[in-house]
Amino acid sequence: MAELDELTPNYRRAQRRWPDAPSLAQHYNALASCFVGGGFGLVEHVKSFLESVCVTIMGELREPMPSSAPSTTELLVAALGPLGLRNTKGSSKLDKVLSGFNRLADALADMRNETGPVAHGKDGFLDAVRTDHARAFLAVGDAIVGLLLNALEGREPDLSATREPYESFPHLNERIDRAVSVVARVDEDGDRAVVVFSVAMGPRGEVIELRVEPSRLLYGIDREAYIEVLKSADLAASEAEDEDEISDIESTQATKIVEIPWVTTEPGPQVVFVSKYTGRLELHREGLVDFLKGEKVSPRQEDSDGNFLVDSLLATIDQNAGLDWTERARIQARLKVACKRAFVHFGLDAPQADEIAGRLMVWLRVQAGSRLAEAEVPADVA
């Protein structure tokens, strides 16, 4: 990769000019891989990269396509024209230079047709492009791309159409930041919150109001934060569904209250995170480890505080399972929610955690039902 950039720097230069252009990045990566791998398909990749640069420039300058199926040379002419490099049919000495570059583009297409192994169904025994030929192809493309970039850099871009990133215009950004004042507030749009930016500008303080959804703001500025908030939103929605499920179970069952002095009101789902569990469920550790492996979940997942998944699950199950838990749907629902929250804490997304927690309840009823049903009576109750 370094040798390619040193030998022909303009390919990387073009890719860095439009870092958010996926097609250009793919062409560059394919070209670099081809160069390292012996040259198979090199001519095709050089030609494709050049055409991609031409089309990108034309898009920024709002230039139409020269035809429905333009050749490489036609694209080059169409891209150079609005940059002030148009052939004037002999009235300028620059015409010879432009004519030379046009011939290079024609030659590149001819070389692609003749020696490119990817083009037009070549013989299966055709050798990869030799090193000296590869360098020639690369040099031709690099020279043309360099001409395009040099001409483009001397021109002020059309800000309404350019695909260059925000960071490419620090001088313009600073002018705007110094010239405006901004007031932000949160407004309601139906059942959604909207961030409203009021940007005052000019001597009269004319105001431009921008209304942006939080999701759009996060997506455009901080994609990682967008993903984190999305996970939290999914978890909150899932937990609300879990609470509704517990409430539904409670409301549909006939509840008979039995006065037992040492039994208190059932708490909500409680998640316990520990680094080492040593309790009544220790004998089920190996079985739980096998269950997690079967679900393709690592039992030794560790959080930032040094707590482990398998130990935390055992402690959470121990904390939430009580008397007759296998017969009481509410306790089962509470236990499932607690285990689900433990899974989410250790990195699983909410839907996956919900599915695994459901299967864990089945496993518990089969493997540890009787053991969990043995309620531990406090020492002062005989």
Side-chain angles (χ1 to χ4, degrees), residues 134-155:
R135 290 179 181 271
F137 299 148
L138 285 169
V140 169
D142 183 73
I144 299 175
V145 172
L147 173 69
L148 288 164
L149 294 178
N150 290 338
L152 185 62
E153 287 177 357
R155 180 187 179 92

Side-chain angles (χ1 to χ4, degrees), residues 79-223:
L80 288 173
L83 295 175
L85 297 177
R86 194 184 304 274
N87 195 318
T88 59
K89 307 298 183 182
S91 62
S92 171
K93 294 182 179 180
L94 183 62
D95 288 349
K96 291 185 178 180
V97 176
L98 296 177
S99 179
F101 276 101
N102 290 342
R103 290 195 184 97
L104 284 176
D106 287 336
L108 190 63
D110 292 340
M111 287 189 292
R112 179 255 188 185
N113 293 335
E114 181 176 348
T115 62
V118 180
H120 306 308
K122 294 297 183 179
D123 191 305
F125 291 94
L126 185 67
D127 292 334
V129 178
R130 289 185 298 176
T131 302
D132 53 347
H133 288 171
R135 290 179 181 271
F137 299 148
L138 285 169
V140 169
D142 183 73
I144 299 175
V145 172
L147 173 69
L148 288 164
L149 294 178
N150 290 338
L152 185 62
E153 287 177 357
R155 180 187 179 92
E156 190 71 23
D158 183 346
L159 295 176
S160 63
T162 184
R163 299 178 184 179
E164 294 186 55
Y166 165 85
E167 291 78 12
S168 297
F169 310 104
H171 59 298
L172 302 179
N173 301 335
E174 185 176 359
R175 282 167 54 188
I176 291 176
D177 294 340
R178 290 180 178 275
V180 302
S181 60
V182 180
V183 176
R185 71 179 191 276
V186 178
D187 202 353
E188 296 292 333
D189 186 3
D191 59 346
R192 294 184 178 183
V194 178
V195 182
V196 182
F197 296 96
S198 298
V199 182
M201 58 182 181
R204 297 182 180 179
E206 297 93 341
V207 175
I208 297 177
E209 188 173 275
L210 305 175
R211 300 175 66 85
V212 185
E213 304 92 331
S215 56
R216 188 186 301 274
L217 187 65
L218 289 170
Y219 190 88
I221 295 178
D222 191 335
R223 198 65 58 86

Side-chain angles (χ1 to χ4, degrees), residues 17-333:
R17 183 181 181 92
W18 296 284
D20 297 325
S23 179
L24 203 59
Q26 290 174 2
H27 284 311
Y28 175 80
N29 291 333
L31 182 62
S33 299
C34 183
F35 177 77
V36 174
F40 187 85
L42 183 68
V43 185
E44 288 82 356
H45 291 310
V46 170
K47 180 175 179 291
S48 297
F49 190 95
L50 174 58
E51 292 172 348
S52 180
V53 171
C54 289
V55 172
T56 301
I57 292 175
M58 291 166 59
E60 289 206 353
L61 301 179
R62 299 180 181 274
E63 285 293 313
M65 295 291 285
S67 66
S68 59
S71 66
T72 305
T73 304
E74 289 173 334
L75 288 174
L76 177 61
V77 171
L80 288 173
L83 295 175
L85 297 177
R86 194 184 304 274
N87 195 318
T88 59
K89 307 298 183 182
S91 62
S92 171
K93 294 182 179 180
L94 183 62
D95 288 349
K96 291 185 178 180
V97 176
L98 296 177
S99 179
F101 276 101
N102 290 342
R103 290 195 184 97
L104 284 176
D106 287 336
L108 190 63
D110 292 340
M111 287 189 292
R112 179 255 188 185
N113 293 335
E114 181 176 348
T115 62
V118 180
H120 306 308
K122 294 297 183 179
D123 191 305
F125 291 94
L126 185 67
D127 292 334
V129 178
R130 289 185 298 176
T131 302
D132 53 347
H133 288 171
R135 290 179 181 271
F137 299 148
L138 285 169
V140 169
D142 183 73
I144 299 175
V145 172
L147 173 69
L148 288 164
L149 294 178
N150 290 338
L152 185 62
E153 287 177 357
R155 180 187 179 92
E156 190 71 23
D158 183 346
L159 295 176
S160 63
T162 184
R163 299 178 184 179
E164 294 186 55
Y166 165 85
E167 291 78 12
S168 297
F169 310 104
H171 59 298
L172 302 179
N173 301 335
E174 185 176 359
R175 282 167 54 188
I176 291 176
D177 294 340
R178 290 180 178 275
V180 302
S181 60
V182 180
V183 176
R185 71 179 191 276
V186 178
D187 202 353
E188 296 292 333
D189 186 3
D191 59 346
R192 294 184 178 183
V194 178
V195 182
V196 182
F197 296 96
S198 298
V199 182
M201 58 182 181
R204 297 182 180 179
E206 297 93 341
V207 175
I208 297 177
E209 188 173 275
L210 305 175
R211 300 175 66 85
V212 185
E213 304 92 331
S215 56
R216 188 186 301 274
L217 187 65
L218 289 170
Y219 190 88
I221 295 178
D222 191 335
R223 198 65 58 86
E224 291 185 2
Y226 177 90
I227 295 172
E228 287 301 317
V229 173
L230 181 60
K231 289 180 179 178
S232 298
D234 289 342
L235 179 59
S238 179
E239 290 186 350
E241 292 176 359
D242 293 335
E243 294 297 337
D244 290 341
E245 180 182 350
I246 294 174
S247 298
D248 291 342
I249 291 172
E250 186 177 40
S251 62
T252 55
Q253 287 185 330
T255 305
K256 182 178 180 180
I257 301 176
V258 180
E259 294 294 336
I260 303 178
W262 50 271
V263 175
T264 59
T265 303
E266 293 175 1
Q270 300 179 58
V271 189
V272 183
F273 301 112
V274 296
S275 59
K276 178 63 178 176
Y277 170 81
T278 54
R280 58 178 176 152
L281 301 181
E282 181 62 32
L283 59 90
H284 294 291
R285 176 184 292 273
E286 290 186 8
L288 181 57
V289 167
D290 291 338
F291 169 83
L292 293 173
K293 289 180 178 178
E295 295 289 341
K296 295 182 172 54
V297 176
S298 172
R300 296 296 294 172
Q301 286 194 55
E302 184 178 2
D303 66 12
S304 58
D305 296 323
N307 302 314
F308 293 100
L309 173 60
V310 65
D311 295 276
S312 298
L313 281 174
L314 288 169
T316 296
I317 295 168
D318 197 349
Q319 179 70 25
N320 288 272
L323 187 65
D324 297 332
W325 81 276
T326 57
E327 305 298 330
R328 301 174 65 183
R330 175 174 172 78
I331 296 181
Q332 294 175 32

